[in-house]
Amino acid sequence: MNCIIHPCYFPNIAHVVAMSKANTTYLEVCDNYQKQTYRNRTEIYGANGKLSLTVPVVYSQKNRQGYKDVRIYNSEPWQQQHLKSLMAAYSTSPFYEYYIDELMPLFTQPFDFILDLNLKCLEILQEALQLHFSLNFTQTFEKKVDGLLDYRELVNPKKKSITFEPYTQMFSNKYGFISNLSILDLLFNEGPASELYLNQQNLNND
């Protein structure tokens, strides 16, 4: 079965499960941008619990903008800040050193548009996970799609929470298992076993 989904900044586990189980994934790139979604935000497990990393963007709610047209606000050193946060959270995790070099272009290369950054995230994550998704892009925006599993609502953090099977997390002894964090949490903690874990998870598309 094929699915449609939003490309996100270091997508959470639900997004990657959806893509890994689809024959072809259609990336929604023709919609209007919306604030407070995973388009420009990811969630990791820090020393004090769940931590959001947000890419600042130039956007006005008054003037509708297409997702592909939204620029990153690069006057803030967000790349350095996010890298420091990842280092603080995961530097002692089993596979941080194994993967961080692959991820470095996302923190050292300049990106002007949030969509370009998110597509580069997907490209690099596929290599790290050794998962190669069949990806296409939408050509127009359609509120309802036929013949596709519609996972676009996963971009909204306010939708129902998704619970996956626990895996080892760095600070679970303090705050317990936190489900559906950024794929980076799984990658740094489980490494090559991430592929097997993703294959064992399921999404309910209610």
Side-chain angles (χ1 to χ4, degrees):
M1 192 65 179
N2 300 332
C3 75
I4 184 170
I5 205 165
H6 289 287
C8 296
Y9 178 57
F10 287 122
N12 58 32
I13 290 173
H15 278 82
V16 183
V17 168
M19 289 187 287
S20 66
K21 293 184 179 297
N23 295 321
T24 299
T25 297
Y26 287 83
L27 298 176
E28 179 61 86
V29 297
C30 296
D31 60 319
N32 285 331
Y33 185 82
Q34 294 180 15
K35 296 174 68 175
Q36 298 181 337
T37 69
Y38 291 123
R39 289 174 180 84
N40 69 319
R41 186 173 105 191
T42 195
E43 294 173 334
I44 64 172
Y45 203 149
N48 295 314
K50 187 185 291 187
L51 174 66
S52 291
L53 304 180
T54 302
V55 181
V57 296
V58 182
Y59 174 75
S60 172
Q61 194 73 38
K62 295 179 180 178
N63 302 310
R64 288 284 184 179
Q65 280 182 280
Y67 184 5
K68 65 180 74 174
D69 299 321
V70 172
R71 290 181 172 273
I72 296 172
Y73 184 67
N74 282 311
S75 294
E76 293 184 17
W78 64 271
Q79 287 172 300
Q80 297 95 310
Q81 292 168 0
H82 288 194
L83 183 58
K84 286 180 180 178
S85 294
L86 289 175
M87 188 179 300
Y90 297 110
S91 61
T92 58
S93 65
F95 296 97
Y96 177 83
E97 293 293 338
Y98 187 81
Y99 291 109
I100 193 60
D101 286 347
E102 287 185 70
L103 301 171
M104 283 306 294
L106 297 165
F107 304 106
T108 56
Q109 293 180 8
F111 294 91
D112 292 325
F113 294 92
I114 187 65
L115 180 58
D116 291 340
L117 170 66
N118 293 350
L119 294 177
K120 188 65 175 180
C121 275
L122 274 180
E123 177 187 326
I124 290 177
L125 287 170
Q126 284 185 85
E127 292 299 321
L129 290 163
Q130 292 296 295
L131 290 172
H132 298 285
F133 309 125
S134 175
L135 302 176
N136 280 333
F137 297 97
T138 58
Q139 301 300 314
T140 59
F141 176 75
E142 298 179 21
K143 190 170 183 179
K144 292 185 178 181
V145 291
D146 295 324
L148 299 175
L149 292 173
D150 192 345
Y151 289 122
R152 289 177 295 184
E153 70 172 15
L154 293 177
V155 78
N156 188 346
K158 296 179 182 178
K159 293 293 183 181
K160 66 178 183 180
S161 60
I162 299 174
T163 302
F164 293 116
E165 295 174 12
Y167 56 87
T168 302
Q169 294 175 320
M170 291 299 297
F171 303 105
S172 58
N173 61 325
K174 293 175 65 177
Y175 302 104
F177 176 72
I178 302 179
S179 184
N180 200 31
L181 293 174
S182 168
I183 189 64
L184 293 180
D185 186 76
L186 179 66
L187 193 64
F188 288 146
N189 285 303
E190 293 292 330
S194 298
E195 180 182 359
L196 177 61
Y197 177 86
L198 293 167
N199 288 336
Q200 293 173 336
Q201 308 310 305
N202 289 296
L203 287 174
N204 292 320
N205 192 49
D206 296 332

